[in-house]
Structure formats: C-alpha cells, structure tokens
Amino acid sequence: MEEIRESRSGRTRRNLAGEASFVSFAPTALQDISIEWSDDLVRNVAEAEFALGQLTGSFSALSAEQQAEMVEVAIASEAESSWKLAEGREIGMPAGLVLDSPSITAPAIESPFTFFGGSPFGAPAPLDDIDLREIDDLAAAFRYALKPFDDLPLSRRLLENTHYLMTQSPRYEKRYPGEFRRSPNWISGPDSTLATARFVPPVEEDMIEAFSQLEHFIHKDSDLPVLARIALTHYQFEVVHPFIDGNGRIGRILTVLMLLEARQIPAPILPLSDVLRERAMGYYGAIEAVELDGDFEGWIRFFVNVIREAATRAQAKIESETGEV
C-alpha cells in the first residue's frame, strides 16, 4: 500500500492497483494526539462534569424502586432514539442525502450526513414490525452490555457480543452479526464505489491495528480529563468502523459504558441519542472536521456539550417526576 497523505488525524493509503484501486484512511493513535486546551474548552468540560455531578446527586436521592423504573425507561428510550438516529428517522436532514454503503455486496443501514449513513432522509415512515424488533434487540443488547464489568471488561469481545444481540433481525443476516468486518466499507453517495467514495474507513489490517490501539487508550491511565478521553474514544471508534453495520449504535453504547466505568454517571440514564438526533448535522459534521482538518478540540467541545445537555435533561426528568425544583 502506498501512503499518499498524512495529517494530524491520520493518513490515507492507496490499496490495490488499476481499476480496483481505492484510497482508505488509517487514523492516528489517540495516544499520539496532544490536545490544545483553550480556556473555553476547559470550561466546556467543567460544565459537563458539573451537570453529571448534579445528576448523580439527584438520582442517588431516589428510592431503589424509582431508580429501577427510571433506568428501565431510559434504556428503552435510548434504544429507540439510537435506532432512529442510525436510520435517519426524524432528525431533520434533507431528503435524498445519502449515506453509508458499507460493503460491495450489502448497502448499509447505519445513517448520517456525509459521514456515516444508511437510508435516504425524508418524512419518517411509521415503524413496522421489523423496526420494532430491531429496537427491542438494541435494548436487549444494551442491557447485556450493562452487566457488571467484572464479568467482561470493555473489550472487543464485549462489543462483538453486544453487536450480535443487536443484529438478530433478518436485515443483518449477511452482515456478519457479532463479527468485525473482513472487507472494506465506504461512506458516500448512493451511486459511489470504493474508488469514488468520499471516505473509506481503515481496511482490515489497519482496522485491527487501530482498534487494538483504541483498546489500549481506553484502559491506559491518562492525564486527559475523563470526558475528553470518552469523547475521543467515541470519535475514534466511529472512524475505525469495525463492523459492517451498526457502528453508531455500538459506539453510543460504548460511550455510556465508559461513563459508568469512570463513575461519571450513577446509572444508564442519559438521553444521549436523543440529544444527538437533534444535533445530527453537528454530530456528523464534527466527526468529519476531525478527519479533514484534525479538529480534535472542536470534537471534544461538541461532544461534552452533548453530554452536558443530556445530563441536564435527565436531571429535569427527575425533578419533574419527584416534584423537586
């Protein structure tokens, strides 16, 4: 493979030759990225930390029964919002925008802007039986992933198991449920190929190396603020794109797991995907800005503000249901 471009965020490589030639991306290991901390960025992280602290305090004051009920409702709601975000449902995107063709043989379901997408946007269709099953499967996968980390720590195996449980509907039969991909996928318009795609995630050998580096980053002690580390992990997972389909949904579950492991939230009660659905253009645009311009700082700012907003909404829900002000 010939290296053809290198930037702060990674490098592009040319694969194969002749008419089969295509360019893929290999991200820089997060361990090698130095973040420039402006006063504004420090404040954004601190505000998100404060909001999470407030949420933890309010949740801890609930009875065990109230806590259990809130968690169950939050898991179901997060699954539905994450699925709708992945499908491009009700997120205010222009009709006809494309999205993700993850392999030569199977178009994607994963959805977004120019970056990670799946189906054309337009007026949301009513949910059919398969849609509802997929939402239920995603909720079941989320519950599985939330089992005590002593049983199975954050790892490739945990994410593969979660992915398998999430992809039980007939739509995923040929999309390697529970397995990392072994072929390239790409992100671009509906008529694109590997050769003409806007973005091709790492090919298999680069993907395996990049994910190994990401696992190391997740588990290694770091001087970075916890929320910045979690934001960077979410970005990197989406760029590595280890599954043929479902990367956004698994990436959002990974974010919640990291927040729990770092004791930033007391339970899986953040309406993360709900906020991201409202900010879908910003979400995919901020990811793309890192890949194109190396704007890691802009991505951290965007993501911690999403976490802050999600914490504020969860806090408001507790107050509305308990009568607190």
Side-chain angles (χ1 to χ4, degrees):
M1 282 191 284
E2 173 192 357
E3 186 167 286
I4 60 174
R5 178 175 66 83
E6 188 161 2
S7 67
R8 186 187 185 200
S9 59
R11 60 193 183 282
T12 54
R13 294 178 178 273
R14 186 168 297 282
N15 305 266
L16 305 179
E19 292 184 0
S21 174
F22 67 95
V23 174
S24 64
F25 185 75
T28 301
L30 294 176
Q31 295 88 326
D32 297 332
I33 299 297
S34 179
I35 300 300
E36 298 178 7
W37 288 98
S38 65
D39 291 344
D40 182 55
L41 185 55
V42 170
R43 183 173 60 255
N44 290 151
V45 172
E47 288 172 349
E49 291 172 338
F50 180 78
L52 291 172
Q54 293 287 97
L55 175 60
T56 295
S58 293
F59 183 81
S60 299
L62 298 176
S63 68
E65 182 179 353
Q66 288 173 315
Q67 289 180 352
E69 182 178 354
M70 184 174 185
V71 168
E72 190 54 36
V73 170
I75 288 174
S77 178
E78 175 63 16
E80 181 174 348
S81 290
S82 188
W83 183 89
K84 286 181 175 179
L85 176 57
E87 288 285 319
R89 300 287 183 95
E90 303 169 24
I91 60 176
M93 301 286 283
L97 243 168
V98 179
L99 306 166
D100 187 2
S101 292
S103 75
I104 293 173
T105 57
I109 292 177
E110 195 68 26
S111 89
F113 183 35
T114 56
F115 216 76
F116 303 107
S119 53
F121 297 103
L127 300 181
D128 60 26
D129 289 344
I130 292 179
D131 297 337
L132 294 172
R133 174 184 173 176
E134 290 181 0
I135 292 170
D136 287 344
D137 286 346
L138 180 53
F142 194 8
R143 292 186 191 96
Y144 161 79
L146 291 166
K147 290 182 177 180
F149 295 117
D150 289 343
D151 293 348
L152 188 58
L154 288 177
S155 62
R156 172 175 174 172
R157 182 182 167 199
L158 175 62
L159 297 182
E160 286 181 327
N161 290 353
T162 303
H163 186 269
Y164 177 81
L165 293 172
M166 185 189 81
T167 53
Q168 292 302 293
S169 91
R171 296 184 194 179
Y172 298 98
E173 184 179 354
K174 297 181 179 180
R175 299 189 184 190
Y176 304 104
E179 299 179 35
F180 275 13
R181 59 182 169 83
R182 295 187 292 275
S183 60
N185 56 5
W186 65 93
I187 290 125
S188 199
D191 299 322
S192 295
T193 65
L194 269 174
T196 62
R198 157 67 189 84
F199 180 84
V200 179
V203 291
E204 184 181 10
E205 58 267 41
D206 288 338
M207 181 264 289
I208 296 299
E209 179 182 1
F211 185 83
S212 177
Q213 292 170 340
L214 179 58
E215 273 193 297
H216 185 66
F217 178 79
I218 289 171
H219 295 293
K220 182 183 177 183
D221 290 339
S222 172
D223 293 334
L224 282 172
V226 169
L227 296 187
R229 189 160 57 86
I230 292 172
L232 290 171
T233 297
H234 186 91
Y235 160 79
Q236 195 82 335
F237 182 84
E238 297 308 316
V239 169
V240 172
H241 229 55
F243 297 104
I244 283 290
D245 195 5
N247 294 283
R249 282 158 281 177
I250 295 296
R252 290 184 284 277
I253 289 175
L254 175 59
T255 293
V256 174
L257 295 180
M258 291 187 70
L259 287 165
L260 285 165
E261 188 174 58
R263 302 184 185 279
Q264 295 295 300
I265 55 175
I269 54 175
L270 280 188
L272 182 67
S273 295
D274 210 38
V275 178
L276 287 171
R277 280 173 62 214
E278 294 178 9
R279 304 184 183 186
M281 296 281 282
Y283 182 28
Y284 300 114
I287 290 176
E288 194 170 48
V290 182
E291 185 258 317
L292 290 175
D293 305 317
D295 188 10
F296 289 98
E297 292 77 14
W299 166 254
I300 292 171
R301 179 179 297 105
F302 172 83
F303 203 71
V304 299
N305 284 336
V306 166
I307 290 174
R308 175 187 54 76
E309 175 61 23
T312 299
R313 292 188 189 185
Q315 170 86 7
K317 183 174 179 61
I318 291 174
E319 291 175 353
S320 68
E321 294 185 358
T322 61
E324 295 179 5
V325 178

